[in-house]
Amino acid sequence: KSTITKVSKSIPTPKWHAPWKLSTVLSSHLGWVRSIAFDSTNDIFATGAADRTIKIFDFAKSCVGSSDALKITLTGHISPIRGLAFSPRHPYLFSAGEDKMVKCWDLETNQVVRHYHGHLSGVFCLKLHPTLDLLVTGGRDAVARVWDMRTKQQVHVLTGHDNTVGTVLTKPTDPQIVTGSYDSTIKLWDLIAGKCMSTLTHHKKAVRALVQPSFEQTFVSGAADTLKKWSGKDGQFVNNLSGHKAVVNALAVNDDGVLVSGADDGSMRFWDYGSGYQFQQMETIAQPGSLDAENGVYVAEFDLTGTRLITGEADKTIKIWKQDDNASEFSHPIDMTSWRNKCLKEAKQRF
């Protein structure tokens, strides 16, 4: 009996979140949309796609579907653009592509001012360090490279993965860099020494997405087997978020505690970050004229307020989602019975 009481205590109460719905669709790109970044004022966002262009949109106009939402199109890459990031301290946009190039664009002149040269193959992810002027990129050459933004020098080459580094996180505190790889491991790095602190081998499939919230020291990794939540300080396993049966390409979390995962087959799942309760599941809608196979979410980002979710998809569109204002806890209640059963079932499993 004591084990039953212990387990029932450990069932976390989910926080209620309103369900999300599609608000606007932007079709501007001519290829799969692979990357999205918001600028620190929340006024503009950039998207990079397989049509080799970066497009910068006015966020407010995009939300209402205005025809003049597109501000500028930047050309210069010769392959799909897989990583984008706005610098919060400079008027710069950083981009990384499958053409091995990492570029720094000056948004006052809309030209490339720096190249970070050194990747041996396609670059799949890019992040800026929150406090230092460092840039971290990971790619198909199975390493993450740390660049000095100003001098263009390579500070560290973080080697150790056996396959493509598909996603990277940066944090102000140790471990300052977390990488997820297609060899199905996650590594936590000591930035000062340039060495691996620990390797997390719980996933069975390629880790394609990592995300961390602003409100607690944890992070979530997404793979085709499950989503897993980890402690941010030492990489201790916290819990599984299971139920998304697809190749998870994208993860995003907002300050409200809504975690969204988007997959290759167009399925999207919305979770309560604190408890791991899945409060909504849906399929994205491919734009008319697309094949069914073009149902796929490649990238998802919340805006800085957390009230809008932007996804980049395989039907070449950028979709903006928002919460349903009319929903309440009575119209969309939390299904506590199935949640309790799921928790009791998973309490018997180890991982």
Side-chain angles (χ1 to χ4, degrees):
K1 192 176 178 195
S2 64
T3 52
I4 294 171
T5 50
K6 207 185 288 177
V7 166
S8 60
K9 273 182 200 152
S10 72
I11 295 175
T13 314
K15 181 181 164 201
W16 184 82
H17 298 287
W20 291 70
K21 59 178 189 189
L22 184 59
S23 140
T24 329
V25 179
L26 305 172
S27 10
S28 179
H29 279 293
L30 305 174
W32 294 349
V33 183
R34 299 304 304 241
S35 50
I36 295 174
F38 269 92
D39 118 296
S40 54
T41 60
N42 214 34
D43 292 337
I44 57 174
F45 68 94
T47 57
D51 62 1
R52 314 187 297 280
T53 61
I54 300 167
K55 290 181 187 275
I56 296 181
F57 294 90
D58 184 300
F59 180 50
K61 286 179 178 171
S62 303
C63 286
V64 293
S66 160
S67 57
D68 56 349
L70 179 63
K71 289 172 88 82
I72 193 164
T73 303
L74 304 173
T75 56
H77 278 282
I78 54 173
S79 279
I81 293 149
R82 297 291 292 263
L84 284 173
F86 282 95
S87 167
R89 295 185 291 279
H90 321 90
Y92 291 154
L93 169 67
F94 294 87
S95 65
E98 289 178 18
D99 48 11
K100 314 181 202 175
M101 290 198 236
V102 182
K103 293 174 187 274
C104 168
W105 304 79
D106 185 335
L107 293 175
E108 287 168 350
T109 60
N110 298 326
Q111 284 167 334
V112 178
V113 286
R114 294 191 187 95
H115 281 105
Y116 300 88
H117 187 74
H119 270 286
L120 307 175
S121 191
V123 189
F124 276 34
C125 53
L126 174 146
K127 277 281 188 309
L128 300 178
H129 193 284
T131 51
L132 308 169
D133 285 348
L134 292 176
L135 175 68
V136 185
T137 56
R140 211 160 30 198
D141 49 2
V143 296
R145 294 176 195 267
V146 183
W147 310 89
D148 183 319
M149 203 184 274
R150 190 176 58 86
T151 62
K152 305 180 280 198
Q153 294 300 316
Q154 201 162 265
V155 185
H156 286 306
V157 184
L158 308 177
T159 56
H161 283 297
D162 299 334
N163 206 329
T164 304
V165 176
T167 173
V168 62
L169 282 182
T170 53
K171 303 205 300 235
T173 55
D174 276 326
Q176 295 186 41
I177 298 175
V178 181
T179 54
S181 165
Y182 290 9
D183 64 7
S184 74
T185 64
I186 297 162
K187 284 183 187 283
L188 314 178
W189 301 88
D190 178 341
L191 178 61
I192 296 153
K195 289 192 169 65
C196 180
M197 287 162 60
S198 57
T199 306
L200 315 175
T201 57
H202 298 54
H203 277 294
K204 307 281 182 290
K205 292 278 196 285
V207 180
R208 288 166 183 258
L210 289 170
V211 73
Q212 63 190 355
S214 54
F215 49 84
E216 63 176 52
Q217 259 284 41
T218 53
F219 65 93
V220 167
S221 60
D225 49 1
T226 48
L227 278 64
K228 291 180 190 288
K229 186 171 170 186
W230 315 86
S231 144
K233 200 162 76 242
D234 48 3
Q236 284 289 324
F237 174 75
V238 182
N239 64 341
N240 276 321
L241 293 86
S242 52
H244 203 166
K245 300 267 184 290
V247 178
V248 174
N249 283 327
L251 288 173
V253 64
N254 68 6
D255 293 349
D256 206 22
V258 176
L259 173 73
V260 59
S261 54
D264 245 8
D265 60 355
S267 59
M268 290 167 74
R269 299 280 187 273
F270 292 84
W271 318 77
D272 171 37
Y273 192 90
S275 63
Y277 170 72
Q278 180 183 307
F279 67 88
Q280 190 185 3
Q281 56 180 42
M282 59 176 166
E283 302 282 320
T284 180
I285 312 134
Q287 68 171 331
S290 307
L291 308 169
D292 290 344
E294 289 180 318
N295 239 1
V297 181
Y298 283 122
V299 58
E301 256 336 300
F302 281 101
D303 75 318
L304 301 192
T305 62
T307 55
R308 293 287 182 278
L309 168 71
I310 301 199
T311 56
E313 315 216 348
D315 63 353
K316 306 172 188 155
T317 59
I318 299 150
K319 296 196 173 79
I320 302 179
W321 310 76
K322 64 177 184 189
Q323 276 176 315
D324 191 349
D325 299 332
N326 305 324
S328 68
E329 295 189 39
F330 305 107
S331 64
H332 295 79
I334 292 172
D335 185 359
M336 274 313 281
T337 354
S338 64
W339 171 237
R340 192 175 290 111
N341 295 342
K342 185 171 186 276
C343 286
L344 291 169
K345 187 174 152 219
E346 284 182 3
K348 295 169 190 156
Q349 299 169 346
R350 208 160 134 240
F351 286 124

